[in-house]
Amino acid sequence: RVQLVESGGGSVQAGGSLNLSCVASKLGDSYSSYYMAWFRQAPGKERERIAAIAGTGSTSTEDFARGRFAISRDNSKAMVYLQMSSLKPEDTAMYYCAADLRWTAMRQGNLDWDYWGQGTQVAVSS
C-alpha cells in the first residue's frame, strides 16, 4: 500500500511563506506514474484541493491558490512539494498530500484520490 508522509508545516505570521514536502513509499508502480496533489481542510470546513501534478509535470491549480501556491515534484526522490507564499490566517488548516494512478484524479476540484498522507498542520497568525 502506498504510504505518503508530509512535512514542513508549522506556524507562521500572515504574509510569510512555508514549503511543504511529501515523500511517497511502498509504491506498486513507478512514482512518475502517480498523479500527486495537495489538499487542505480547515476546522469545520470541507476538504478542498489546492493543486495537482502529473508525472510529466503538468499541473492543475485551483483558482484560490493561483499566484500564492505552487506545486512541484521530483520523480527521482518520490517527492511532491507545495510552496506557499503570502499566507493568510484563512490558510490555517491541515494540509494533506494524495496520490492516484488514474488520470481522472486530475479533474479540477476532484476529491476522490486513492492514497492519502496523515497531514501536516499549518497555522497562520495575523
Side-chain angles (χ1 to χ4, degrees):
R1 178 178 175 83
V2 173
Q3 290 191 348
L4 303 172
V5 179
E6 303 93 337
S7 61
S11 298
V12 64
Q13 288 192 326
S17 300
L18 276 176
N19 295 323
L20 306 183
S21 300
C22 172
V23 61
S25 61
K26 298 187 178 181
L27 302 169
D29 296 85
S30 168
Y31 178 72
S32 61
S33 300
Y34 288 86
Y35 300 92
M36 302 297 295
W38 284 97
F39 292 78
R40 69 183 185 181
Q41 187 166 18
K45 295 188 176 182
E46 294 186 351
R47 187 170 296 190
E48 61 182 350
R49 196 174 87 175
I50 302 168
I53 185 168
T56 58
S58 176
T59 61
S60 173
T61 303
E62 303 302 321
D63 289 344
F64 76 87
R66 290 176 187 167
R68 296 194 301 125
F69 293 15
I71 190 171
S72 61
R73 66 189 289 165
D74 185 337
N75 290 336
S76 69
K77 297 180 180 178
M79 299 282 292
V80 63
Y81 308 99
L82 185 68
Q83 293 178 289
M84 306 186 294
S85 61
S86 302
L87 285 164
K88 306 173 182 179
E90 51 264 43
D91 294 318
T92 295
M94 186 71 79
Y95 284 69
Y96 302 89
C97 72
D100 205 303
L101 287 169
R102 301 168 296 174
W103 70 268
T104 51
M106 287 289 288
R107 289 175 177 164
Q108 199 87 7
N110 178 42
L111 302 181
D112 180 23
W113 286 66
D114 277 344
Y115 306 105
W116 294 85
Q118 293 299 306
T120 185
Q121 181 68 45
V122 170
V124 184
S125 58
S126 57

